[in-house]
């Protein structure tokens, strides 16, 4: 339940919250006119490849608004504080991409051309448990990071690269949140609940493979491939899975109990 006057002692989350507040920025910090060096065909391709990231920013807003009451009503106010600032970050990312489409004068892919985007969205929304949610948000943050990183490398001195680099700073903080939250919660979970996280990871990756196929043509225009993208994202995700120790030790008591 919610406490009127909690002690707020979890310094890790409080520090991250302060950092999140200080790091806020607005669209005036971006030079929206820097479009030279992006050809018309590249703009069209960018419009298509950015589409799942664009919806992903809204999915992130939705995810945060789902998980926040779950965390706050268990009386854990510090992560709920941070999640509130994270919601503002995602709203800014969504707003900025909305503006970017108008600056580039291109359209996102219509929904029917990218049905996996909705499957991904539905798979995340399916979850009622805050740990599953935060893990899904982490994978989505890594997905966004891989895209923004690729845009920053390919169009470094343009509005696309500058916006991507600035957004990546927010995304790094979001990963730090997931790291702290999952580290606190994982020891309270049994082997089955932890395996469920890997099922979620595998489901999301299967959806992303199909999504990559749909984007192949436009990615190739950007000198990119779905394989390259997914390999990078998988490496990143696995690094987190190992760092967090999600995979139960093969001989742990939990594992034996689950047999
Ligand atoms: Fe974002
Ligand atoms: Fe994020």
């Amino acid at each position: 339940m919610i406490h009127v006057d909690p002690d707020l002692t979890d310094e890790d989350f409080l520090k991250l919250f302060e950092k999140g507040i200080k790091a806020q920025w607005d669209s005036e910090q971006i030079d929206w006119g820097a479009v030279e060096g992006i050809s018309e065909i590249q703009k069209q391709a960018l419009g298509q490849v950015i589409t799942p990231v664009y919806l992903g920013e809204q999915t992130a807003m939705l995810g945060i608004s789902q998980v926040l009451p779950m965390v706050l009503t268990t009386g854990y106010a510090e992560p709920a504080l941070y999640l509130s600032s994270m919601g503002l970050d995602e709203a800014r990312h969504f707003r900025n991409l909305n503006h970017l489409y108008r600056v580039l004068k291109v359209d996102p892919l219509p929904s029917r051309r990218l049905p996996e985007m909705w499957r991904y969205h539905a798979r995340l929304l399916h979850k009622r448990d805050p740990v599953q949610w935060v893990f899904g948000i982490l994978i989505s943050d890594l997905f966004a990071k891989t895209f923004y990183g690729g845009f920053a490398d390919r169009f470094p001195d343009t509005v696309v690269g500058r916006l991507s680099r600035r957004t990546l700073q927010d995304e790094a903080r979001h990963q730090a949140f997931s790291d702290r939250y999952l580290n606190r919660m994982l020891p309270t979970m049994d082997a089955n609940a932890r395996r469920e996280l890997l099922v979620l990871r595998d489901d999301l990756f299967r959806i992303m493979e199909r999504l990559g196929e749909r984007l192949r043509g436009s990615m190739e225009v950007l000198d990119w491939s779905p394989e390259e993208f997914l390999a990078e994202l998988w490496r990143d995700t696995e690094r987190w899975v190992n760092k967090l120790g999600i995979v139960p030790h093969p001989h742990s008591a939990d594992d034996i109990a689950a047999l």
Side-chain angles (χ1 to χ4, degrees), residues 232-244:
E232 185 181 339
L233 180 56
W234 180 260
R235 272 196 305 276
D236 223 3
T237 307
E238 284 313 276
R239 196 173 54 80
W240 276 99
V241 165
N242 291 324
K243 183 173 180 276
L244 292 164

Side-chain angles (χ1 to χ4, degrees), residues 57 60 86 90 93 141 171 174:
E57 299 297 2
M86 188 165 155
E90 303 299 10
H93 302 168
D141 276 333
E171 298 298 351
H174 301 172

